[in-house]
Structures are given as C-alpha cells and as structure tokens.
Amino acid sequence: MNLNNRIKLSTMMFLEFFIWGAWFVTMGTYLGKNLLSDGVQIGSAYSTQSLGAIIAPFIIGLIADRFFAAQKILGFLHLLGGILLWFASTALNFESFFPFVLGYMIAYMPTLALVNSISFKQMTDPGKEFPSIRVFGTIGWIVAGILIGMLNWEQGGNLVMTFKMASIASIILGLFSFALPHTPPAKKGEKTSFGDIIGLDAIGLLKNKSYLLFFLASVAICIPLAFYYNFTNPFLNEVGMKSAAGIQSLGQVSETLFMILMPLFFVRLGVKKMLAIGMIAWVIRYLFFAFGNAESNYWMLIGGIVLHGICYDFFFVTGQIYTDRLAGERFKSAAQGFITLATYGVGMLFGSIISGMVVDKYAGQGGHDWHSIWVIPAGIAALVTLLFLLFFKDNNKPASETAN
C-alpha cells in the first residue's frame, strides 16, 4: 500500500470512530439532564444502534455490494448523518429527538462495514496491514472522549455540543470519502438472497451443541453489555466523577492493549478459558461499579472502566475467531454476519430495553440506587458464565467436516 492511501485510510478510520465516540458515550447523560428523559427512553435511544445493525446488512447487501462504489455510499451516508445529528441537537424533548437519532443510526451502522471494505480493497495482506489502519479508529474514539472532558461539557451542561461536533465531523468525512481510493461494488450483477444478507447459510453451525451454547451466551451477555454502554456515563456523572467521558476513554486504551496481547493469551489459554475470563471480567466490572464511589472506592470505578479491554477482547474478539475457525472456508462471511446480527442486533436490542426498565425501577428524587442497578447485570453475567463453564466444550472441527 502506498503512503498516500495509508494516510487516507487512517484519516477515514480516525473520523469514523471519532464521530461515534463524540456523542454516543454521553448521550445518556444528555438525555437525562437536558431532555429530562427516563431510563426507558434512554434505553430506547441506545436501541437505535441495534436497529441500525439489523438494517445495515440490507443496505450493504442490496445496494453497496451490487450497484455503487463503497466510497460514494460512505460519503452519502455520512453527509446525511451529519444533517440528522445537527437536527438532533436542536430537539427540545425526547419525542422530537428520537426520530433523528434513529435515522442517524440507520445511516451510520452500514458505514462500519464500508470502511472495512474500502480498507481491505487496498491491501495485499490485510492480516498484517489492517491493524495499523484500524487502530486509528480507536485513537479517534479516545480523542473524542478526552476533548469532551477538556472542554468540560459534562459538568457545564453543554453536551448538546457533542452532537454539533459529531455533525461537523460527519460532514467532513462525508466530503473526504469522495477522495478515498475507488472501491467498486463487490457483487455487481450477482443476485443476493435474503438468506445471504442475514447469514442464514451459517445456521448449520448451531447443530454443534457447544457452538449453540456459545451463540446463546453471546446474545445473553449483550444484556449486561447494554447496561455498560447506555448508563455508565450517567452513573459516573451522578456519583461525582469529573471529566467522566475522558476517563472512560481508558476503556479503549485497555481494549487496544489487550488486542495487541491477544495472540499470546490465545496460544496459552485456548478458546474456552479466553471466553470464560472475558465473562468473569463482566461480573467483576459490575461489582466494582456496584460498590465503587468517587471517594474512598474511586479505584473501583477506574478498575471497572479499564476492564473493558478484557470484557470485550476476550469474549467478543475470541468469539469472532472461534466462529471463523468453526465455520470453515465456505461459511466464514455468513457466520460473521450471523453472529453480528444476533449480538449487536437482537442481543443489544433486548439489553437496551431491559437496562432502561431496571434503571427506572431504582430511580428516586435524589438520583438512582446504582448499587442495586449494577448488581443485576453482574448477576446475569455470573449466571451465563456458570452455564458456559459447565456445558461448553471446544469443538475444533469446521462446519464442512461436521456435515460429512
């Protein structure tokens, strides 16, 4: 890859995740404080990510892969997204805010696949070249959090500026996308079925009892995951943590570090231990949040944030590797699409609904009973972990072999 394309792709990744990190982390706090939204409404707003994830494959499968160059679709979606985010920032109540954020997530979620497609098209060895490009996305998310903290938008009640900042960045990326390397449609002239789009070809993997258990555990663990994404920032601000969004970026730093170390752990621990450690980390994280505070137990709050690297990498990244290995060559793409739709689509959708209901149940005039709130996702994660440890066995045979 030449230097010019490397700079363009790195800039694309930086902006892609800067935009998401600029408003998504603090949206719960903004909705609660500025638009006086309750927990169910906040959960509903975050569920738009899941709805976007469910709809995204249809946009990619039916439009981008067949008719238009990926960089042009990327540009159009980010220009549209920038407009929607700006209108979201002008909403005076939740009812007028929700349609804009829903529209935005339907536009944004397909871009996650598009930036990968554009990157892979320019690479001769994605395994070696992609990580050095993708890391700029994590850096973009971190920079967004640090910037929000430095500008004191949380304590100053100016979180509306996060949507305006993300809107401007989205429009910049939208315009910049048209200068990205040309990436023609991958399946021009080919027919695409509904089953192809949602990865139904990989459903045979569920005949493997261990993979079925992993699949169900993946969906179930997304319920506590939704608690973290949706309510960590409101929680940290309510208990008095200063520059919470900036400190939360330590989770992405941790994620990057453990991503680098994962090959070493994987060789020594194997699939079952990696997945189990990831789930156990979920339990510890929520117990830290349940018993932590901004005073004597401040370290627990930091610990819960830093555990994000183990929670995410050890479970979800290991799960992607496990899925890829078990699927075999024929079903690799379908299997990844299937597990993504199930987790970030269905699992996170249920998680957003449940987390909002739980937060509302423990809401009071003086704030929330966060101890009781965080014990619930800790309990869910503990139950999933126990069942997984009891019944999961790592089956290394790919789907093509088990079918014979």
Side-chain angles (χ1 to χ4, degrees), residues 34-209:
N34 294 58
L35 300 188
L36 304 178
S37 305
D38 58 29
V40 170
Q41 289 175 323
I42 293 172
S44 297
Y46 276 104
S47 74
T48 59
Q49 176 192 6
S50 303
L51 296 173
I54 292 170
I55 295 171
F58 293 91
I59 295 177
I60 299 300
L62 294 177
I63 301 176
D65 279 352
R66 299 176 65 193
F67 298 111
F68 299 101
Q71 80 278 5
K72 293 182 179 179
I73 295 288
L74 182 70
F76 170 77
L77 290 175
H78 273 298
L79 289 174
L80 175 62
I83 294 170
L84 290 170
L85 277 179
W86 190 270
F87 277 110
S89 73
T90 65
L92 300 179
N93 52 53
F94 180 81
E95 288 71 22
S96 57
F97 173 87
F98 183 81
F100 291 117
V101 75
L102 174 60
Y104 176 77
M105 289 310 284
I106 291 173
Y108 178 82
M109 293 306 289
T111 68
L112 295 172
L114 288 170
V115 294
N116 289 344
S117 298
I118 293 168
S119 299
F120 290 143
K121 185 67 175 179
Q122 308 307 314
M123 298 174 181
T124 54
D125 188 350
K128 292 182 178 179
E129 296 174 280
F130 184 69
S132 64
I133 299 296
R134 175 58 181 82
V135 72
F136 280 92
T138 303
I139 293 171
W141 187 291
I142 293 169
V143 169
I146 293 173
L147 195 57
I148 292 169
M150 289 176 58
L151 295 172
N152 200 37
W153 284 344
E154 289 166 288
Q155 278 72 43
N158 292 319
L159 284 176
V160 68
M161 294 301 298
T162 62
F163 294 93
K164 296 182 185 295
M165 178 174 69
S167 170
I168 293 169
S170 185
I171 291 172
I172 291 172
L173 179 53
L175 295 173
F176 178 73
S177 295
F178 294 99
L180 290 170
H182 180 57
T183 309
K187 299 179 181 179
K188 190 173 183 178
E190 296 183 19
K191 291 184 178 180
T192 303
S193 69
F194 176 80
D196 292 334
I197 290 172
I198 65 172
L200 279 182
D201 284 345
I203 201 167
L205 287 173
L206 300 182
K207 294 177 182 178
N208 181 315
K209 291 182 180 179

Side-chain angles (χ1 to χ4, degrees), residues 370-382:
W370 289 109
H371 173 81
S372 297
I373 290 170
W374 292 121
V375 164
I376 291 173
I380 295 171

Side-chain angles (χ1 to χ4, degrees), residues 61 109 158 160 250 266 268 312 330 340 364 382 384 398:
M109 293 306 289
N158 292 319
V160 68
L250 290 173
F266 203 88
R268 288 165 174 76
Y312 184 84
R330 184 180 174 187
T340 299
V384 174

Side-chain angles (χ1 to χ4, degrees), residues 293-367:
N293 55 53
E295 298 168 354
S296 59
N297 287 334
Y298 186 79
W299 65 272
M300 287 188 174
L301 303 182
I302 300 298
I305 293 169
V306 172
L307 276 172
H308 179 72
I310 299 177
C311 292
Y312 184 84
D313 291 345
F314 275 54
F315 189 84
F316 286 101
V317 177
T318 298
Q320 290 165 4
I321 295 171
Y322 173 59
T323 297
D324 182 80
R325 188 176 69 187
L326 200 63
E329 289 299 324
R330 184 180 174 187
F331 301 113
K332 284 182 184 293
S333 296
Q336 294 296 341
F338 185 56
I339 193 68
T340 299
L341 184 67
T343 52
Y344 286 98
V346 178
M348 286 291 287
L349 181 60
F350 280 114
S352 294
I353 295 169
I354 292 170
S355 62
M357 294 170 64
V358 170
V359 168
D360 274 354
K361 180 179 179 180
Y362 293 102
Q365 292 184 347

Side-chain angles (χ1 to χ4, degrees), residues 210 213 266 269-280 314-315 318 322 325 385-396:
S210 288
L213 180 63
F266 203 88
L269 298 175
V271 170
K272 182 172 183 176
K273 290 180 180 177
M274 290 282 286
L275 293 171
I277 290 171
M279 287 189 284
I280 291 169
F314 275 54
F315 189 84
T318 298
Y322 173 59
R325 188 176 69 187
T385 304
L386 178 62
L387 294 174
F388 178 85
L389 288 172
L390 289 174
F391 299 108
F392 179 84
K393 294 180 181 179
D394 182 13
N395 185 347
N396 292 323

